Amino acid sequence: YSIDQNLWGTSIESGVLENPWTEPPPDTYRSILAPERARSQAGYVTVVFARGVPVGLNGRRMSPVALVERLNALGAIHGVGRSDMIESRVVGIKSREVYEAPAGTILLEAHEELERLTLDRELLRVKQHLAVTYAHLIYSGLWFTPLKRALDAFMHETQRRVSGTVRLKLFRGTCRVVGRKSPHSLYRERLATYSAKDQ
């Protein structure tokens, strides 16, 4: 295997993985438990965001590095963060990659849900559309381009109201949002309710 490891996680390629039909061998994943071997009891985490940036975990304010390291550990014991995908490389070839990224998986799920709670429909739609272009620029190494600078300004503006707390349930390879709240929430129970008194 060829292994690339960093704070966010690990990517593995080559060897037996070059055949996209072959299931990754058990020893492919180095840090994340197989879902069938993960804890039989669910774990819960709460992530706090301020203007789109994760700043706290389970009621404690944390530095970005400490937060990512803790989420990596929590996700790994619950089998969360494994992925096996075909990528389109910059040079025009297809490549199979196996990733381990517990913190990235959890934070992405939490952040996207908080955006759904705090951004209006049209802003959310356009932001989700442009996020694909933004990710493509970063993946391609096009950091210092006029388009990237323009998108930076747009993305920064979208995050002004993305503050709040998201609660997630980790269980045998799955990561699900089970609660969300924000001082900027656009959800109004009196408008969304379907209780008997509304009939």
Side-chain angles (χ1 to χ4, degrees):
Y1 303 125
S2 169
I3 302 173
D4 176 27
Q5 191 163 19
N6 56 50
L7 175 66
W8 287 97
T10 304
S11 70
I12 302 172
E13 57 186 22
S14 75
V16 67
L17 297 177
E18 290 180 350
N19 181 348
W21 183 251
T22 303
E23 181 177 2
D27 67 343
T28 302
Y29 298 97
R30 306 299 173 95
S31 64
I32 302 175
L33 288 175
E36 59 270 19
R37 292 183 52 232
R39 289 189 175 177
S40 59
Q41 186 173 358
Y44 291 85
V45 295
T46 56
V47 183
V48 178
F49 290 85
R51 291 180 170 243
V53 177
V55 296
L57 181 64
N58 295 335
R60 291 183 51 218
R61 192 157 185 94
M62 300 179 79
S63 71
V65 171
L67 189 147
V68 167
E69 288 177 340
R70 184 64 185 139
L71 280 178
N72 274 336
L74 290 170
I77 63 176
H78 289 285
V80 171
R82 291 179 165 202
S83 62
D84 175 2
M85 65 180 68
I86 300 296
E87 292 187 357
S88 297
R89 289 290 183 91
V90 175
V91 293
I93 63 170
K94 296 289 185 180
S95 170
R96 184 192 190 178
E97 301 282 341
V98 173
Y99 291 98
E100 295 183 274
T105 300
I106 296 166
L107 289 173
L108 180 62
E109 192 75 25
H111 184 262
E112 287 182 342
E113 183 65 12
L114 194 57
E115 286 186 327
R116 283 190 282 270
L117 183 67
T118 58
L119 301 184
D120 71 70
R121 184 181 67 181
E122 288 307 302
L123 180 57
L124 179 62
R125 180 184 65 80
V126 173
K127 194 269 178 181
Q128 289 172 336
H129 174 74
L130 289 178
V132 176
T133 300
Y134 194 79
H136 172 73
L137 291 174
I138 293 171
Y139 182 81
S140 302
L142 301 174
W143 285 85
F144 306 108
T145 62
L147 177 56
K148 170 70 165 46
R149 283 194 299 274
L151 288 177
D152 282 341
F154 173 80
M155 294 300 175
H156 180 75
E157 177 64 21
T158 68
Q159 299 305 295
R160 284 194 311 113
R161 297 173 59 84
V162 185
S163 297
T165 304
V166 180
R167 187 168 181 250
L168 304 103
K169 180 178 182 179
L170 313 178
F171 183 66
R172 293 200 162 172
T174 64
C175 171
R176 290 191 302 110
V177 172
V178 293
R180 71 288 280 159
K181 61 182 179 179
S182 169
H184 306 297
S185 172
L186 297 179
Y187 177 85
R188 298 291 181 267
E189 184 177 354
R190 62 185 175 80
L191 297 176
T193 184
Y194 295 101
S195 62
K197 65 184 179 183
D198 297 307
Q199 296 180 5

